[in-house]
Amino acid sequence: PEKPSIAVLAFANMSADKDNEYFSDGVAEEILNALAKVEDLRVAGRTSSFYFKGRNEPLAAIGATLGVAHVLEGSVRKQGEHLRINAKLLRVSDGVEMWSETFDGNDADIFALQENIARRVTGELKAALNAGQQDRLVDVGTGNAEAYALYLQASATFNRRDSARYSEAMAQLEQAATLDPGFARAYARLAALYAVALNADTVDYDVAVAAAEKFADRASQLDPSLAEPHAVRGLKFRYRRKHREGREAFTRALALEPDDVTSNFWWAITLTQTGYRRQGIAVLDHTLQLDPLLPNALFWRAREHIADGELDQADRLLRRAAEGGHSFVGLAQWQLEQARGNRGAAISALADGLEYFSTAFPAGTANVFARACFGDAEAKARARTLIDAHYASKPSYVSGVATYVLIHAGEPARGLALMQDRPTTNDGLIMGEMFSPTMAQARHAPEFAEFLRRMGLAAYWDEIGPPDQCRKDAKGNYACD
């Protein structure tokens, strides 16, 4: 209530070519990004605003869900190089159309058209601009329309986390950077793509980490004001288990853009994975204030609700995450079903969740793994055989699923041992639960203190203070409730 608020909905693609949807989405997202940097405005995050695309929801429902007083909607028609953009600003309380306008131009005019729309919105909402915004609100980082179009196509893949098209998106960003070697945002998004591709197990670990670092460095050299490269470095350091360096990188990203949704979210889950659950929850809550329907943030916040016994809240968030298309919601759903005593549903949910991360194993393995985690003797024997075969193949990095299953299937010592000497393909699978009730068996294992040392957590906690639920025992080892 203390300042104007707005949601920028996805602009409708009115072009004959339906493949131009990335362009209409990109136009709206660029306006949203520009408005989000206006201190006198509160802007709903992209994921939440775009959630309503094609849903025909009443304006009042959109305003209530996103907590905004105004909505900007529009459409883009692209025919050859000609562009027509329609935009209108609506007041949620009574549906009044405060302003509408049609803008015509060609591909080269796209930057000016976005700037005009953003300025009309801030003018109508009487939002005060800072000194740097007096001259320009929308700064896409390039004057090359072709490079910008490639950036938008790749960003559409990144936003959907469409892992099957990551390689194509990386090629598009590399081409954009070739067309405009000074396009810092293309390098930053390329770094982010490599960082998330690693979690999807679609690229070699070392290649992905090195590429993320290289492109993040290039982006920062070109534009030190960008937060995205620093957030990518924070992820990279987490992957490398360099906790202090990761903290510094996220601190820098959030100093540059305190309300950047991605930086806040990645920092929140980094906190939870290093034991600082309460701090992580606070940052997750802030992330969801910025972007209330962000599926992955809903998923992670639901897990913390389950850990705290707040099952109804968790249920509500998981339903929203699933509606938003979250790919592995079952990794939290199984904990909810287990807490409610629904064993069959819990096994099914866990199998669904593990499927996304089990690409290193034969088809059907996720179901075996899920049953093994629930004590099925035959499934445990089969899971052990599959994990042994995986390890015997001498992979560069052990699958994160292997360690996850070993711990849940009653072999915490082996699971911890496989993980502690080098990163897995996805440490987050294990560390995301490590300080919750589902991993109590691992935390109480005699090997846990050594695990904390080898993971670098004990030294990190010595430096900045231990998490709430962990303390040193008489021998100087950390023990966690």
Side-chain angles (χ1 to χ4, degrees), residues 199 205 238-241 273 398 400 403 419 422-433 455:
N199 279 333
Y205 184 99
R238 170 151 62 83
Y239 296 155
R240 292 296 196 196
R241 300 173 180 173
Q273 290 183 33
V398 175
T403 54
M419 185 177 179
R422 56 181 175 173
T424 68
T425 57
N426 193 334
D427 279 4
L429 271 175
I430 301 92
M431 299 309 297
E433 285 184 31
M455 292 286 289

Side-chain angles (χ1 to χ4, degrees), residues 387 390-391 395-403 418 422-426:
I387 292 170
H390 168 70
Y391 194 64
S396 299
Y397 292 87
V398 175
S399 169
V401 169
T403 54
L418 280 180
R422 56 181 175 173
T424 68
T425 57
N426 193 334

Side-chain angles (χ1 to χ4, degrees), residues 4 37-41 122 125-131 133-134:
K37 291 181 172 63
V38 177
E39 292 183 9
D40 204 32
L41 272 180
T122 56
L125 298 183
K126 297 179 174 54
L129 305 180
N130 63 37
Q133 293 165 335
Q134 298 292 341

Side-chain angles (χ1 to χ4, degrees), residues 139-212:
D139 184 4
V140 301
T142 182
N144 187 306
E146 185 179 353
Y148 181 59
L150 289 164
Y151 172 83
L152 292 182
Q153 290 178 64
S155 293
T157 297
F158 174 79
N159 290 330
R160 292 193 307 270
R161 297 299 192 269
D162 186 355
S163 58
R165 301 188 68 174
Y166 280 167
S167 295
E168 179 186 353
M170 290 168 183
Q172 289 166 339
L173 289 167
E174 288 177 355
Q175 186 180 351
T178 300
L179 291 167
D180 180 359
F183 194 0
R185 289 178 67 194
Y187 288 109
R189 186 50 47 88
L190 187 53
L193 258 173
Y194 271 104
V196 299
L198 180 58
N199 279 333
D201 206 15
T202 59
V203 290
D204 177 82
Y205 184 99
D206 287 321
V207 169
V209 171

Side-chain angles (χ1 to χ4, degrees), residues 11-27 53 76-83 107 149 152-153 156:
F11 282 16
N13 174 31
M14 304 301 290
S15 309
D17 185 355
K18 298 308 174 187
D19 289 340
N20 278 334
E21 190 164 336
Y22 79 87
F23 191 84
S24 55
D25 283 353
V27 169
K53 184 176 181 177
V76 178
R77 184 182 299 277
K78 191 176 189 302
Q79 187 171 0
E81 293 188 358
H82 181 72
L83 294 174
D107 284 348
L152 292 182
Q153 290 178 64

Side-chain angles (χ1 to χ4, degrees), residues 181-182 184 187-188 213-223 233:
Y187 288 109
E213 182 173 21
K214 179 178 77 171
F215 293 123
D217 287 348
R218 181 62 179 148
S220 290
Q221 289 167 5
L222 291 168
D223 186 352
R233 289 191 193 94

